[in-house]
Amino acid sequence: MILNLMGGILLTNASNVILCETEVAHLAAKNIIKLSWTQDEECGNDTTGVIILASETLAQPLSQLEQDT
């Protein structure tokens, strides 16, 4: 459930719809959302899989950097 700026309520389980309604400031997060939109345009499905894969791809080097310091 999403409450928009106009006070309306959006009920959905479609991740692409949720991402379209979410305001994001972080640059990496914006790029991940763009990847999800591209996936939806090309295939029409599995936007959640793109988010998970891209997030894990970014998380792996971060954990390695934290171990080295």
Side-chain angles (χ1 to χ4, degrees):
M1 180 169 76
I2 298 174
L3 180 63
N4 66 15
L5 297 174
M6 304 283 286
I9 296 174
L10 176 67
L11 290 173
T12 183
N13 66 348
S15 58
N16 195 38
V17 173
I18 294 169
L19 293 173
C20 287
E21 294 293 324
T22 305
E23 292 183 25
V24 178
H26 195 276
L27 184 60
K30 285 182 180 181
N31 286 325
I32 291 173
I33 291 172
K34 287 179 185 178
L35 282 171
S36 175
W37 289 342
T38 302
Q39 173 71 15
D40 188 57
E41 288 173 4
E42 293 295 322
C43 300
N45 201 355
D46 203 27
T47 54
T48 305
V50 169
I51 298 292
I52 293 169
L53 182 62
S55 299
E56 277 301 308
T57 301
L58 290 174
Q60 293 304 317
L62 181 61
S63 66
Q64 184 64 37
L65 288 172
E66 289 172 349
Q67 288 178 359
D68 290 342
T69 57

